Amino acid sequence: MAAERAKARAVVIGAGPAGLMAADVLSAAGHAVLLADAKPSVARKFLMAGKSGLNLTKDEPFDVFLFAYAEAAPMLRPMLEQFGPQQVQGWAEALGQQMFTGSSGRVFPVAMKASPLLRAWLARLVAQGVEMRTRWRWTGGLQSPRFATPQGEMMPAADVVVLACGGASWARLGSDGDWACYMAPDQIAPFQPANMGFHVAWSAHMQPHFGQPVKNVILSAGPDQIRAEFVLSHRGVEGGGIYAVSRALRDGAMLTVDLMPDLTTDQIRSRLANAPRKQSLSNRLRKVLRDPVKQALVMECARPLPDDPAPLLKALPLPLTSPYPLDEAISTAGGLRFAALDDGLMLKTHPGVFAAGEMLDWEAPTGGYLLTACLATGKWAGESASRFLTTPASF
C-alpha cells in the first residue's frame, strides 16, 4: 500500500504521562497535535501504577527530593524546579483531583486511582484539539516519523516531534525499549532494571512464609539504608524496601537486614541471656524476635547459629543471586543520554525532535519521583517544541 499522509504540526509519540503532558502543553499553546500510541488505549502503565494507589509525587524539601535522582539531578534540576512536587499537586487539583499527603510524605489523589485523573486529563486534551491515535506503532524516522497502523503505513507531516516512548520494562503495557534501535548507538546508555525484586534460592523450609511481609526492619546495601518492609516470595524478595536499595544491590552491594532496629546489639544480647538457659537457642530467638517470619529468615540465612547471634539480628545477610528480569522491573535505568540532547531536550543531531520521560537516561526510587520527573520532562520538552514551532531560528 502506498504511504498515506495525514497532517499535524506536532507529533507526540507515546501516550504515557510524559507524552500526554507534552501534548497538553503544545495544544494549549495553540498548535495542532497528533498523539500516537502503539497500544489499543493510552496511559496503560500510568493506570497500572494507580491500581495500588496513585503516588504522584512526594512532599519534602526540594534538595532532598532532587537527591533521589543521583547523577541525573543536575540535568533534571531546572525541569523539577519548574514542575516539582508542589506544581504537580496544583496540576492534579486543577483537573478536579483532591490530594492528600501520607505520613511518609507521599502524595496521592483522594480517589487513590489513576482513572479519574486520566479521564479529566484526556477530556482537556480533546477540548484543546489533540488528535489521538491508538494502535499506531512507530517504525522509524525521526523528523519524518512512520507508523504501522490498522489502516496501513502512515507518515503524518510534522514540524516537531516529541518522543515519549518509555523505558524497557512492562512491554505488555507499552514500554518495550524497541525505540532504541532508531537512535545512534552512542546516544543510548544500556538498559538496566530499576526498582525490582531479587532472586533468592530458598530452601523448602521457607515455603510457608511466601507472600508474607517482613515488617519494621532496616535494609542496608552499600551507602543506601532505609527503614521499611519487604515481602518474601517463592522467587526471592521484593516490595518497597527492596526497591529503595535496588540500585546498590544491582551494582553488587550486599543486602543486610536489621531485624530489631529499635534495640541495640547489647540490648538484644541481654534479652537472649535473660531467657531460660535450658531452652535451645532457636527457642530463645523465637521469644526475642516474636515474629515467625523473622525467625524463619534467621534460621534460613544464618545456620549454624553462632553462640552470640545478637550481631546477626542487627545485620542479617540475605543471599541474593540476581535481579528479577528487566521486563518485570517497575522502571529502568539507561536510555537516551542527556549528552545527546540540548538544554531543551532536543536531539542535537535532529533539530525539531525532542525527548521526554522514562526513555531518558535517569532513574529514581518509587515514592512519587518517577511520575514527577516524567511529567516535568514532558512539560519541558513540550514547551521547547512549542518555542521551536514559534521561533525556529532561535534554536
Side-chain angles (χ1 to χ4, degrees):
M1 176 185 292
E4 281 185 47
R5 295 189 67 89
K7 287 190 177 180
R9 288 202 76 192
V11 173
V12 179
I13 304 175
L20 290 169
M21 182 60 79
D24 194 348
V25 169
L26 281 157
S27 59
H31 304 296
V33 178
L34 173 67
L35 176 62
D37 195 272
K39 291 298 179 180
S41 58
V42 304
R44 289 192 161 196
K45 195 172 180 182
F46 182 66
L47 287 170
M48 178 64 77
K51 280 199 169 182
S52 57
L54 183 64
N55 183 193
L56 272 178
T57 192
K58 191 163 187 189
D59 187 3
E60 61 189 0
F62 181 76
D63 285 344
V64 175
F65 187 85
L66 188 66
F67 185 77
Y69 299 94
E71 69 274 5
M75 285 74 76
L76 292 173
R77 175 184 280 274
M79 304 164 210
L80 293 168
E81 285 177 336
Q82 181 201 61
F83 201 75
Q86 297 305 313
Q87 292 80 9
V88 167
Q89 292 179 67
W91 163 79
E93 289 166 353
L95 287 168
Q97 303 306 301
Q98 184 180 351
M99 308 298 291
F100 77 93
T101 302
S103 58
S104 65
R106 297 186 179 200
V107 180
F108 302 84
V110 169
M112 290 299 287
K113 298 182 295 184
S115 51
L117 174 60
L118 180 61
R119 282 195 299 270
W121 198 5
L122 293 177
R124 182 162 80 184
L125 295 182
V126 170
Q128 290 173 185
V130 174
E131 183 183 356
M132 298 187 200
R133 293 288 180 264
T134 54
R135 295 188 173 93
W136 276 41
R137 174 169 288 280
W138 182 39
T139 57
L142 290 167
Q143 289 155 316
S144 300
R146 302 182 303 275
F147 296 90
T149 83
Q151 294 76 39
E153 184 178 65
M154 294 290 181
M155 297 177 62
D159 296 318
V160 296
V161 174
V162 179
L163 305 173
C165 303
S169 63
W170 290 76
R172 67 185 179 87
L173 300 179
S175 298
D176 54 23
D178 286 354
W179 56 265
C181 68
Y182 305 131
M183 304 292 172
D186 63 352
Q187 293 177 320
I188 302 296
F191 291 118
Q192 298 183 80
N195 295 298
M196 66 293 190
F198 284 79
H199 292 286
V200 180
W202 301 120
S203 72
H205 299 291
M206 291 298 292
Q207 187 170 354
H209 305 288
F210 294 157
Q212 296 297 310
V214 184
K215 297 183 176 181
N216 190 29
V217 295
I218 292 177
L219 297 99
S220 300
D224 298 336
Q225 187 177 88
I226 186 171
R227 186 167 185 150
E229 63 181 65
F230 64 99
V231 176
L232 305 180
S233 80
H234 69 284
R235 295 193 297 169
V237 290
E238 52 198 65
I242 298 296
Y243 303 154
V245 296
S246 61
R247 177 171 183 170
L249 296 175
R250 183 190 70 208
D251 294 343
M254 174 184 289
L255 174 64
T256 60
V257 183
D258 182 347
L259 298 172
M260 305 188 75
D262 296 319
L263 297 177
T264 66
T265 303
D266 285 342
Q267 287 171 326
I268 295 171
R269 191 175 284 127
S270 176
R271 291 193 180 192
L272 287 167
N274 288 337
R277 298 300 298 177
K278 63 181 180 179
Q279 292 183 349
S280 67
L281 181 54
S282 61
N283 273 333
R284 281 183 278 149
L285 280 172
R286 176 175 57 81
K287 291 187 176 181
V288 168
L289 286 168
R290 299 179 181 179
D291 185 324
V293 180
K294 290 182 178 180
Q295 184 185 17
L297 274 177
V298 173
M299 301 306 290
E300 176 76 8
C301 301
R303 285 187 299 177
L305 294 174
D307 293 335
D308 178 14
L312 272 174
L313 302 188
K314 295 296 290 179
L316 180 70
L318 263 62
L320 309 181
T321 57
S322 61
Y324 284 6
L326 177 65
D327 191 50
E328 296 179 21
I330 290 176
S331 59
T332 49
L336 187 58
R337 299 181 188 274
F338 281 98
L341 304 167
D342 70 7
D343 292 341
L345 297 181
M346 184 173 75
L347 277 169
K348 293 176 180 177
T349 55
H350 290 79
V353 179
F354 301 81
E358 199 183 334
M359 69 181 293
L360 304 180
D361 181 21
W362 59 272
E363 64 177 303
T366 57
Y369 304 104
L370 296 169
L371 276 174
T372 298
C374 285
L375 293 167
T377 56
K379 181 177 175 63
W380 192 268
E383 290 177 344
S384 297
S386 181
R387 288 194 300 272
F388 185 91
L389 284 171
T390 306
T391 56
S394 65
F395 280 75

PDB file of all heavy atoms in Angstrom, residues 38-58:
ATOM      1  N   ALA A  38       1.199   2.995  20.501  1.00  0.00           N
ATOM      2  CA  ALA A  38       1.166   1.673  19.880  1.00  0.00           C
ATOM      3  C   ALA A  38       0.082   0.774  20.445  1.00  0.00           C
ATOM      4  O   ALA A  38      -0.355  -0.172  19.778  1.00  0.00           O
ATOM      5  CB  ALA A  38       2.527   0.995  20.042  1.00  0.00           C
ATOM      6  N   LYS A  39      -0.369   1.042  21.660  1.00  0.00           N
ATOM      7  CA  LYS A  39      -1.323   0.159  22.323  1.00  0.00           C
ATOM      8  C   LYS A  39      -2.763   0.543  21.968  1.00  0.00           C
ATOM      9  O   LYS A  39      -3.024   1.633  21.465  1.00  0.00           O
ATOM     10  CB  LYS A  39      -1.102   0.214  23.835  1.00  0.00           C
ATOM     11  CG  LYS A  39       0.202  -0.432  24.273  1.00  0.00           C
ATOM     12  CD  LYS A  39       0.214  -1.908  23.913  1.00  0.00           C
ATOM     13  CE  LYS A  39       1.497  -2.608  24.290  1.00  0.00           C
ATOM     14  NZ  LYS A  39       1.481  -4.023  23.922  1.00  0.00           N
ATOM     15  N   PRO A  40      -3.722  -0.344  22.278  1.00  0.00           N
ATOM     16  CA  PRO A  40      -5.116  -0.043  21.960  1.00  0.00           C
ATOM     17  C   PRO A  40      -5.723   1.077  22.796  1.00  0.00           C
ATOM     18  O   PRO A  40      -6.771   1.615  22.450  1.00  0.00           O
ATOM     19  CB  PRO A  40      -5.842  -1.374  22.236  1.00  0.00           C
ATOM     20  CG  PRO A  40      -4.784  -2.415  22.176  1.00  0.00           C
ATOM     21  CD  PRO A  40      -3.540  -1.750  22.683  1.00  0.00           C
ATOM     22  N   SER A  41      -5.097   1.419  23.906  1.00  0.00           N
ATOM     23  CA  SER A  41      -5.562   2.523  24.738  1.00  0.00           C
ATOM     24  C   SER A  41      -4.349   3.227  25.328  1.00  0.00           C
ATOM     25  O   SER A  41      -3.243   2.678  25.340  1.00  0.00           O
ATOM     26  CB  SER A  41      -6.487   2.024  25.854  1.00  0.00           C
ATOM     27  OG  SER A  41      -5.820   1.074  26.663  1.00  0.00           O
ATOM     28  N   VAL A  42      -4.557   4.439  25.822  1.00  0.00           N
ATOM     29  CA  VAL A  42      -3.432   5.265  26.260  1.00  0.00           C
ATOM     30  C   VAL A  42      -3.133   5.038  27.747  1.00  0.00           C
ATOM     31  O   VAL A  42      -3.957   4.535  28.490  1.00  0.00           O
ATOM     32  CB  VAL A  42      -3.719   6.762  26.006  1.00  0.00           C
ATOM     33  CG1 VAL A  42      -4.034   7.000  24.538  1.00  0.00           C
ATOM     34  CG2 VAL A  42      -4.855   7.279  26.882  1.00  0.00           C
ATOM     35  N   ALA A  43      -1.924   5.434  28.126  1.00  0.00           N
ATOM     36  CA  ALA A  43      -1.505   5.532  29.537  1.00  0.00           C
ATOM     37  C   ALA A  43      -1.690   4.226  30.313  1.00  0.00           C
ATOM     38  O   ALA A  43      -2.093   4.233  31.472  1.00  0.00           O
ATOM     39  CB  ALA A  43      -2.251   6.676  30.223  1.00  0.00           C
ATOM     40  N   ARG A  44      -1.356   3.109  29.700  1.00  0.00           N
ATOM     41  CA  ARG A  44      -1.592   1.824  30.359  1.00  0.00           C
ATOM     42  C   ARG A  44      -0.720   1.624  31.600  1.00  0.00           C
ATOM     43  O   ARG A  44      -1.177   1.116  32.621  1.00  0.00           O
ATOM     44  CB  ARG A  44      -1.362   0.684  29.374  1.00  0.00           C
ATOM     45  CG  ARG A  44      -2.450   0.602  28.307  1.00  0.00           C
ATOM     46  CD  ARG A  44      -2.375  -0.681  27.516  1.00  0.00           C
ATOM     47  NE  ARG A  44      -3.651  -0.929  26.857  1.00  0.00           N
ATOM     48  CZ  ARG A  44      -4.003  -2.098  26.339  1.00  0.00           C
ATOM     49  NH1 ARG A  44      -3.172  -3.118  26.415  1.00  0.00           N
ATOM     50  NH2 ARG A  44      -5.171  -2.249  25.752  1.00  0.00           N
ATOM     51  N   LYS A  45       0.538   2.023  31.526  1.00  0.00           N
ATOM     52  CA  LYS A  45       1.410   1.865  32.699  1.00  0.00           C
ATOM     53  C   LYS A  45       1.000   2.834  33.808  1.00  0.00           C
ATOM     54  O   LYS A  45       1.072   2.506  34.995  1.00  0.00           O
ATOM     55  CB  LYS A  45       2.872   2.097  32.290  1.00  0.00           C
ATOM     56  CG  LYS A  45       3.880   1.617  33.332  1.00  0.00           C
ATOM     57  CD  LYS A  45       5.302   1.691  32.794  1.00  0.00           C
ATOM     58  CE  LYS A  45       6.292   1.220  33.845  1.00  0.00           C
ATOM     59  NZ  LYS A  45       7.697   1.328  33.382  1.00  0.00           N
ATOM     60  N   PHE A  46       0.547   4.018  33.431  1.00  0.00           N
ATOM     61  CA  PHE A  46       0.039   5.002  34.395  1.00  0.00           C
ATOM     62  C   PHE A  46      -1.161   4.420  35.146  1.00  0.00           C
ATOM     63  O   PHE A  46      -1.258   4.532  36.370  1.00  0.00           O
ATOM     64  CB  PHE A  46      -0.341   6.266  33.626  1.00  0.00           C
ATOM     65  CG  PHE A  46      -0.845   7.398  34.471  1.00  0.00           C
ATOM     66  CD1 PHE A  46      -0.030   8.039  35.388  1.00  0.00           C
ATOM     67  CD2 PHE A  46      -2.147   7.857  34.326  1.00  0.00           C
ATOM     68  CE1 PHE A  46      -0.492   9.099  36.148  1.00  0.00           C
ATOM     69  CE2 PHE A  46      -2.624   8.918  35.069  1.00  0.00           C
ATOM     70  CZ  PHE A  46      -1.797   9.538  35.989  1.00  0.00           C
ATOM     71  N   LEU A  47      -2.064   3.795  34.433  1.00  0.00           N
ATOM     72  CA  LEU A  47      -3.231   3.186  35.072  1.00  0.00           C
ATOM     73  C   LEU A  47      -2.820   2.030  35.978  1.00  0.00           C
ATOM     74  O   LEU A  47      -3.362   1.867  37.074  1.00  0.00           O
ATOM     75  CB  LEU A  47      -4.211   2.699  34.017  1.00  0.00           C
ATOM     76  CG  LEU A  47      -4.989   3.791  33.279  1.00  0.00           C
ATOM     77  CD1 LEU A  47      -5.737   3.196  32.097  1.00  0.00           C
ATOM     78  CD2 LEU A  47      -5.957   4.516  34.214  1.00  0.00           C
ATOM     79  N   MET A  48      -1.848   1.239  35.542  1.00  0.00           N
ATOM     80  CA  MET A  48      -1.370   0.144  36.372  1.00  0.00           C
ATOM     81  C   MET A  48      -0.741   0.675  37.661  1.00  0.00           C
ATOM     82  O   MET A  48      -0.949   0.130  38.747  1.00  0.00           O
ATOM     83  CB  MET A  48      -0.355  -0.698  35.599  1.00  0.00           C
ATOM     84  CG  MET A  48       0.248  -1.857  36.400  1.00  0.00           C
ATOM     85  SD  MET A  48      -0.973  -3.099  36.869  1.00  0.00           S
ATOM     86  CE  MET A  48      -1.180  -3.954  35.309  1.00  0.00           C
ATOM     87  N   ALA A  49       0.004   1.771  37.548  1.00  0.00           N
ATOM     88  CA  ALA A  49       0.633   2.362  38.735  1.00  0.00           C
ATOM     89  C   ALA A  49      -0.404   2.812  39.742  1.00  0.00           C
ATOM     90  O   ALA A  49      -0.143   2.833  40.953  1.00  0.00           O
ATOM     91  CB  ALA A  49       1.511   3.545  38.316  1.00  0.00           C
ATOM     92  N   GLY A  50      -1.583   3.190  39.269  1.00  0.00           N
ATOM     93  CA  GLY A  50      -2.621   3.677  40.166  1.00  0.00           C
ATOM     94  C   GLY A  50      -3.473   2.598  40.789  1.00  0.00           C
ATOM     95  O   GLY A  50      -4.327   2.891  41.638  1.00  0.00           O
ATOM     96  N   LYS A  51      -3.247   1.338  40.440  1.00  0.00           N
ATOM     97  CA  LYS A  51      -4.090   0.279  40.983  1.00  0.00           C
ATOM     98  C   LYS A  51      -3.925   0.115  42.479  1.00  0.00           C
ATOM     99  O   LYS A  51      -4.862  -0.260  43.177  1.00  0.00           O
ATOM    100  CB  LYS A  51      -3.803  -1.041  40.264  1.00  0.00           C
ATOM    101  CG  LYS A  51      -4.485  -1.151  38.916  1.00  0.00           C
ATOM    102  CD  LYS A  51      -4.577  -2.582  38.443  1.00  0.00           C
ATOM    103  CE  LYS A  51      -5.502  -2.685  37.241  1.00  0.00           C
ATOM    104  NZ  LYS A  51      -5.642  -4.084  36.780  1.00  0.00           N
ATOM    105  N   SER A  52      -2.718   0.348  42.979  1.00  0.00           N
ATOM    106  CA  SER A  52      -2.486   0.220  44.417  1.00  0.00           C
ATOM    107  C   SER A  52      -2.412   1.589  45.093  1.00  0.00           C
ATOM    108  O   SER A  52      -1.925   1.696  46.215  1.00  0.00           O
ATOM    109  CB  SER A  52      -1.196  -0.561  44.671  1.00  0.00           C
ATOM    110  OG  SER A  52      -0.093   0.063  44.038  1.00  0.00           O
ATOM    111  N   GLY A  53      -2.889   2.628  44.430  1.00  0.00           N
ATOM    112  CA  GLY A  53      -2.829   3.982  44.966  1.00  0.00           C
ATOM    113  C   GLY A  53      -1.868   4.809  44.159  1.00  0.00           C
ATOM    114  O   GLY A  53      -0.669   4.522  44.138  1.00  0.00           O
ATOM    115  N   LEU A  54      -2.369   5.827  43.481  1.00  0.00           N
ATOM    116  CA  LEU A  54      -1.539   6.603  42.560  1.00  0.00           C
ATOM    117  C   LEU A  54      -0.651   7.579  43.331  1.00  0.00           C
ATOM    118  O   LEU A  54      -1.098   8.644  43.744  1.00  0.00           O
ATOM    119  CB  LEU A  54      -2.427   7.365  41.569  1.00  0.00           C
ATOM    120  CG  LEU A  54      -1.670   8.165  40.505  1.00  0.00           C
ATOM    121  CD1 LEU A  54      -0.879   7.243  39.593  1.00  0.00           C
ATOM    122  CD2 LEU A  54      -2.633   9.026  39.693  1.00  0.00           C
ATOM    123  N   ASN A  55       0.607   7.197  43.503  1.00  0.00           N
ATOM    124  CA  ASN A  55       1.567   8.059  44.206  1.00  0.00           C
ATOM    125  C   ASN A  55       2.185   9.027  43.196  1.00  0.00           C
ATOM    126  O   ASN A  55       3.140   8.696  42.509  1.00  0.00           O
ATOM    127  CB  ASN A  55       2.634   7.182  44.858  1.00  0.00           C
ATOM    128  CG  ASN A  55       3.653   7.950  45.667  1.00  0.00           C
ATOM    129  OD1 ASN A  55       4.675   7.397  46.044  1.00  0.00           O
ATOM    130  ND2 ASN A  55       3.403   9.209  45.964  1.00  0.00           N
ATOM    131  N   LEU A  56       1.608  10.243  43.122  1.00  0.00           N
ATOM    132  CA  LEU A  56       2.009  11.200  42.095  1.00  0.00           C
ATOM    133  C   LEU A  56       3.343  11.864  42.387  1.00  0.00           C
ATOM    134  O   LEU A  56       4.130  12.126  41.484  1.00  0.00           O
ATOM    135  CB  LEU A  56       0.939  12.289  41.950  1.00  0.00           C
ATOM    136  CG  LEU A  56      -0.198  12.029  40.975  1.00  0.00           C
ATOM    137  CD1 LEU A  56      -1.185  13.182  41.011  1.00  0.00           C
ATOM    138  CD2 LEU A  56       0.330  11.824  39.564  1.00  0.00           C
ATOM    139  N   THR A  57       3.585  12.176  43.651  1.00  0.00           N
ATOM    140  CA  THR A  57       4.802  12.917  43.979  1.00  0.00           C
ATOM    141  C   THR A  57       5.103  12.730  45.452  1.00  0.00           C
ATOM    142  O   THR A  57       4.455  11.917  46.134  1.00  0.00           O
ATOM    143  CB  THR A  57       4.650  14.408  43.604  1.00  0.00           C
ATOM    144  OG1 THR A  57       5.932  15.043  43.661  1.00  0.00           O
ATOM    145  CG2 THR A  57       3.647  15.128  44.485  1.00  0.00           C
ATOM    146  N   LYS A  58       6.095  13.463  45.951  1.00  0.00           N
ATOM    147  CA  LYS A  58       6.444  13.382  47.365  1.00  0.00           C
ATOM    148  C   LYS A  58       6.668  14.772  47.914  1.00  0.00           C
ATOM    149  O   LYS A  58       7.364  15.592  47.301  1.00  0.00           O
ATOM    150  CB  LYS A  58       7.687  12.519  47.576  1.00  0.00           C
ATOM    151  CG  LYS A  58       7.934  12.198  49.048  1.00  0.00           C
ATOM    152  CD  LYS A  58       8.891  11.053  49.223  1.00  0.00           C
ATOM    153  CE  LYS A  58       8.986  10.655  50.695  1.00  0.00           C
ATOM    154  NZ  LYS A  58      10.067   9.682  50.912  1.00  0.00           N
TER     155      LYS A  58
END
